[in-house]
Amino acid sequence: MTDLEFSKLVENVQKPGRYAGGELNSVLKDKQQIAVRFAFCFPDIYEIGMSHLGMKILYSLLNELDYCWCERVFAPFTDMEASLRENNRALFAIESRDDLSEFDIIGFTLQYELSYTNILNMLALGNVLLLSADRAGLHQLVIAGGPCACNPEPLCDFVDLFVLGEGEEVTAELVSLYRQHKLNASTKDEFLAAAAAIEGVYVPSLYLVKYREDFSVESVAPRDSAPAKVRKRIIKNLDKVFYPDRFVVPYMEIVHDRVIQEIFRGCIRGCRFCQAGMIYRPVREKNLDIVSQQAKCLCDTTGYDEVSLSSLSTSDYSALEPLVDKLLSWSEQDKVSISLPSLRIDSFSPQLLDKISKVRKSGLTFAPEAGTQRMRNVINKNISEEEIINTCKTAFAGGYINIKLYFMMGLPYETMEDIEGIIDLSQRVVDLYYQNPDKPKGKSVQVSISVSTFVPKPFTPFQWAAFDSAESIKAKQQHLLSYTKSKKIKISFSDKETSFLEAVLARGDRRLGAVLLKAFSLGCKMDGWDEFLDFEKWMEAFAACGVDPLFYLRKREYDERLPWDHLDYYVTKGFLQREDEKAAMEAVTENCRQRCSGCGADQGGGCSFEKR
């Protein structure tokens, strides 16, 4: 596509910078000298995709290979999609502006279940056949990875292979294997059979799924030499694994417009609702000197003036305050601010507050998750109300006036008293501010509470739980609003219909492939955006395919075979069951540093808390 053709394509598009390319640190190569062309596809818009750390890492890693060129493809917004169709143009990669159909490997990252129809839309716009069975050659191999790959079954009709777990090593191995098979003119089946032997690679066409009369899974049988269980891939040493020395710097503002510096993977906490806290185990920390060096390098190569430390629970990094001191040794002079998202309430100190406030001060966000101590014990949050209050007191003493608190409703074993506890706790935070004699004059507090609907996810202790009914969620939301008396408390809810679909897709099986295809044919896409979600069309798709969505929202028994049981994320099913049973008893489990709970994550190596 020439510059003139591109200009015509985007002349009526609101944000052409989403598609223009040419950003600082983007990679251009001579495609005639390249053996493998890889399209890294993010199934949402540019601003979201360009904020994703995984894309930054794999884009740089693959482009370090002299025989591979990795380019970026994002879901076009509605105005750009309309322009592509009006001008009879295919979806293209940003770097070369070549059609998606020209790529050897088309890779999607699965971050959110509501992006699945975007995957189909991007393939269709790129002139790529949707069904894996229809793509006969080795060209246009569709692969996918990311957190949602822990239950890939709803996408098995469309994706040739899935990468389970952490992608740095396995993706490079896959691309190398693909290069070899391409040179040997292998068939697609020959390549897939070889790929299935790589740890962390799941080839769904090599597994036969049988269902019972009640539509539950009876068996999943591997074919040929495919393993009976596919284990996720783990990076054992974060100090030695590849990390970029530069990021692509957008011309336009993105969601997280800053340097993102990873400090560790995994989580010590064991919250029973949290999928990431389970599937990213074991905990592996990166050395603080390496963290500081990488962050400084990225600031130098990008020009960013903010570093965000990335992890599931930043304050659980064992050397956090020494790390912040190390970062401040150069960041203060360079006028670079340090932000610490994902802070634990029980790990927040006045000293840490002082350090992160030196360059820039904004609001603080914490996640109590539940409003009562009973409910926090059920979900194993392991924080007390007094810890929450003391943390807010520290924040107010440090001059903060905006606090955001995250909660959930629809959790297992929840009562209406637990819902009221959300407001009781938030009101106590408001009252605490006005009890502070040193509060800023003329400024009032704002406590924003975000209340999402709980979605039970695979590989968590609550994977067997029922999804709360629409009637129950509506009643709880209405009660929460009527129970709130203070104007200083601002409440927002997640969309009930969005959560409904997320729950269905999260715990679904291969029968949902037909539903996805039908929903897409009816016009469903951008389902994660409230303004685009058409719930009635989804219900029409379920009905047309003879699939009852409520089947996937029901409570499961411990002895039922789950659609993802042939995949292994090291955390054992026995451990998850024990944790669910403890939830019913309102019993807590100590974190990994206090005592090993025998979750099974140590089997993969790299665990800092192996059984003692």
Side-chain angles (χ1 to χ4, degrees), residues 392-401 428-441 443 445:
C392 293
K393 186 175 182 179
T394 298
F396 292 147
Y400 286 81
I401 61 172
R428 191 174 173 191
V429 173
V430 171
D431 295 341
L432 180 69
Y433 174 82
Y434 289 104
Q435 294 165 7
N436 176 17
D438 299 320
K439 65 180 181 295
K441 292 183 179 179
K443 293 186 177 180
V445 69

Side-chain angles (χ1 to χ4, degrees), residues 246-303:
R246 61 194 67 235
F247 291 161
V248 178
V249 182
Y251 289 127
M252 58 185 291
E253 185 176 355
I254 60 176
V255 175
H256 299 302
D257 210 4
R258 59 185 73 96
V259 164
I260 303 173
Q261 179 58 52
E262 186 177 38
I263 61 174
F264 74 91
R265 293 183 186 175
C267 184
I268 67 172
R269 296 293 172 171
C271 296
R272 292 170 180 140
F273 60 85
C274 182
Q275 185 182 63
M278 296 294 168
I279 67 172
Y280 292 150
R281 290 186 175 201
V283 172
R284 291 139 295 149
E285 293 191 348
K286 188 179 288 189
N287 178 273
L288 63 89
D289 290 320
I290 292 176
V291 170
S292 180
Q293 291 165 10
Q294 291 177 343
K296 177 71 164 67
C297 178
L298 285 169
C299 287
D300 291 342
T301 58
T302 62

Side-chain angles (χ1 to χ4, degrees), residues 251-385:
Y251 289 127
M252 58 185 291
E253 185 176 355
I254 60 176
V255 175
H256 299 302
D257 210 4
R258 59 185 73 96
V259 164
I260 303 173
Q261 179 58 52
E262 186 177 38
I263 61 174
F264 74 91
R265 293 183 186 175
C267 184
I268 67 172
R269 296 293 172 171
C271 296
R272 292 170 180 140
F273 60 85
C274 182
Q275 185 182 63
M278 296 294 168
I279 67 172
Y280 292 150
R281 290 186 175 201
V283 172
R284 291 139 295 149
E285 293 191 348
K286 188 179 288 189
N287 178 273
L288 63 89
D289 290 320
I290 292 176
V291 170
S292 180
Q293 291 165 10
Q294 291 177 343
K296 177 71 164 67
C297 178
L298 285 169
C299 287
D300 291 342
T301 58
T302 62
Y304 278 122
D305 63 356
E306 183 180 357
V307 174
S308 176
L309 301 184
S310 174
S311 72
L312 291 177
S313 180
T314 301
S315 50
D316 283 330
Y317 184 73
S318 61
L320 183 58
E321 293 199 25
L323 171 61
V324 173
D325 288 336
K326 178 75 72 172
L327 294 169
L328 290 174
S329 69
W330 56 265
S331 65
E332 286 187 278
Q333 180 180 346
D334 294 352
K335 298 293 187 290
V336 171
S337 64
I338 308 298
S339 64
L340 279 68
S342 306
L343 287 173
R344 283 276 304 188
I345 285 175
D346 55 351
S347 304
F348 193 74
S349 67
Q351 294 81 8
L352 184 59
L353 179 69
D354 179 63
K355 288 172 182 176
I356 65 175
S357 302
K358 285 189 175 181
V359 180
R360 186 179 302 163
K361 183 177 290 185
S362 57
L364 289 174
T365 300
F366 300 105
E369 307 293 2
T372 64
Q373 192 59 50
R374 186 194 75 84
M375 207 57 224
R376 286 191 291 274
N377 290 346
V378 167
I379 64 176
N380 204 48
K381 187 63 182 178
N382 276 338
I383 54 172
S384 68
E385 183 160 326

Side-chain angles (χ1 to χ4, degrees), residues 397-577:
Y400 286 81
I401 61 172
N402 294 317
I403 301 288
K404 186 167 187 177
L405 302 175
Y406 282 106
F407 296 94
M408 288 182 290
M409 64 170 51
L411 288 159
Y413 317 113
E414 182 180 78
T415 68
M416 200 61 84
E417 287 73 22
D418 297 312
I419 298 300
E420 292 175 356
I422 293 173
I423 298 304
D424 292 336
L425 178 58
S426 302
Q427 185 61 55
R428 191 174 173 191
V429 173
V430 171
D431 295 341
L432 180 69
Y433 174 82
Y434 289 104
Q435 294 165 7
N436 176 17
D438 299 320
K439 65 180 181 295
K441 292 183 179 179
K443 293 186 177 180
S444 61
V445 69
Q446 180 70 65
V447 177
S448 300
I449 63 173
S450 175
V451 186
S452 63
T453 300
F454 167 69
V455 174
K457 292 289 181 85
F459 296 102
T460 69
F462 291 158
Q463 65 179 354
W464 295 279
F467 178 74
D468 208 359
S469 69
E471 296 77 14
S472 175
I473 291 297
K474 183 178 180 181
K476 290 172 182 177
Q477 290 179 347
Q478 290 176 340
H479 185 68
L480 197 67
L481 290 171
S482 64
Y483 192 75
T484 306
K485 306 304 178 186
S486 174
K487 293 182 179 180
K488 306 300 181 185
I489 298 174
K490 182 181 178 182
I491 305 175
S492 63
F493 297 110
S494 61
D495 180 74
K496 298 189 296 294
E497 294 174 342
T498 299
S499 300
F500 178 97
L501 287 176
E502 181 183 345
V504 171
L505 293 170
R507 297 200 300 174
D509 52 34
R510 294 192 182 187
R511 296 189 305 133
L512 291 182
V515 178
L516 276 168
L517 194 59
K518 183 62 177 179
F520 172 65
S521 73
L522 292 172
C524 294
K525 56 195 169 188
M526 290 291 184
D527 299 304
W529 296 62
D530 291 347
E531 60 266 41
F532 297 124
L533 175 64
D534 192 328
F535 191 69
E536 294 307 315
K537 285 183 178 177
W538 271 98
M539 293 302 101
E540 183 182 341
F542 282 115
C545 296
V547 174
D548 180 6
L550 296 180
F551 173 81
Y552 300 102
L553 304 184
R554 64 191 166 83
K555 179 178 173 56
R556 318 274 176 106
E557 299 302 323
Y558 290 138
D559 60 355
E560 178 178 339
R561 185 181 182 99
L562 303 174
W564 52 89
D565 275 350
H566 58 298
L567 308 179
D568 186 355
Y569 275 71
Y570 287 103
V571 176
T572 67
K573 201 170 182 180
F575 165 75
L576 298 177
Q577 180 176 331

